[in-house]
Amino acid sequence: MNESSKLQQAAVELISKYFGQNTAKVYDKFFVDESDSAIVVSVNSILSDYIGKTKAEEEIKKMTEGLTL
Amino acid sequence: MNIRKIIFLAIFLAVSVVYILSTTDQVFMLSTLHLIFPVGAALIAAYTSRIYGFKSANNGRVQLIIAAGLVSWGIAEVVGYVLDNFLDVANLIPRVDSFFFLIAYPILGMGVYRGYVTAGIKLKLVKKSLLMMVLSASALLTIAVAYFGVYKAYDPTADILTNVVNLGYGLGDLILVVGSLFAIVVAHEYGDGKLASFWKTMAAGFFTFLIGDTLFFTMYGALVMEGVKPYLYVNLIWAAAYMLLAYAVLENYIHILSVQKNIKLQLQQRK
């Protein structure tokens, strides 16, 4: 699995954690044609709105840990 | 103030006015009106779980467990309504609705606990002032509920089953005390996010429910059940509690739905 698909998988898992599997399934399709930076921006946007900016940053930091972006 | 909040408050105000103007022979109408918020909360919570996906983990699981608790309270209210108004078994103990009322307390407690775990809260990082406030409130509420809901609820002249049910409500309220305080800590973790609003409103709903329950234990519950004023107004406190719980799940439902609609639209536009 390359870094990009690892990031996509981690992003979908994070969305699933807070928004449930139905939302995650749609995002999984949406992220296919998205760049890594666009995925991070997209996840940051919906998470900040839902769990607050600080918690979103914390979760995204965990998500990108170990990945070379 | 958003339009949904205004509608909720308007309905509650209308129900309150009906309660105040009602006469003792209108108990049936009042108990019918009383169903609006618990049934509403149960239905919205069930729909919310559906849009998350019933097999979802983490927050989706939390919503499912909370939905199960609210559905249980909704069923209890409907069953109680049928027993009181259509069947001649109003004073039968134990009542079937008691089972659904009592089982909801641990379910809701579990839901809040799962919410706490999902949030990944590190107690060391929680503000000391918040922890002190939560612990002080917890101690005061525990004393009040333990005294009125457990100690005073025990009736040595009643049979075991009656005492088990009565004590069950007191113990359920103790679960709600802990649950509402955990909900505040979870809300704090999510800062200014929509999920923080959900937990704050849930905590407010649980607190209001506790006030209703404690007043019921201290103000001669039988008079509340018979619709004698002013004891009757305890029902309004429960209605307010259900309203807060219904509002919490509705706002969460609308937010998740809008996230899903938005991303589906973007996906469609791309095609």
Side-chain angles (χ1 to χ4, degrees), chain A residues 13-34 42 46-56 58-59 62, chain B residues 49-60 63 118-122 189-196 252 255-256 259-260 262-264 266-267 270:
Chain A
E13 277 171 16
L14 186 51
I15 289 169
S16 182
K17 178 178 178 182
Y18 288 104
F19 297 89
Q21 59 177 18
N22 289 350
T23 312
K25 274 180 197 165
V26 189
Y27 268 96
D28 195 22
K29 287 179 193 161
F30 182 75
F31 285 154
V32 170
D33 297 324
E34 293 284 297
S42 187
I46 58 160
L47 274 185
S48 294
D49 200 19
Y50 195 48
I51 62 173
K53 203 167 177 283
T54 312
K55 190 75 182 169
E58 185 189 306
E59 289 284 17
K62 268 196 258 174
Chain B
S49 285
R50 189 168 164 261
I51 62 162
Y52 270 93
F54 290 120
K55 289 179 181 172
S56 296
N58 299 302
N59 193 39
Q63 300 299 328
T118 298
I121 293 165
K122 294 177 186 86
E189 183 70 11
Y190 293 129
D192 56 350
K194 295 259 173 23
L195 198 51
N252 194 41
H255 183 73
I256 299 298
V259 167
Q260 287 183 0
N262 185 40
I263 196 64
K264 279 177 186 168
Q266 286 188 53
L267 205 56
R270 191 186 280 173

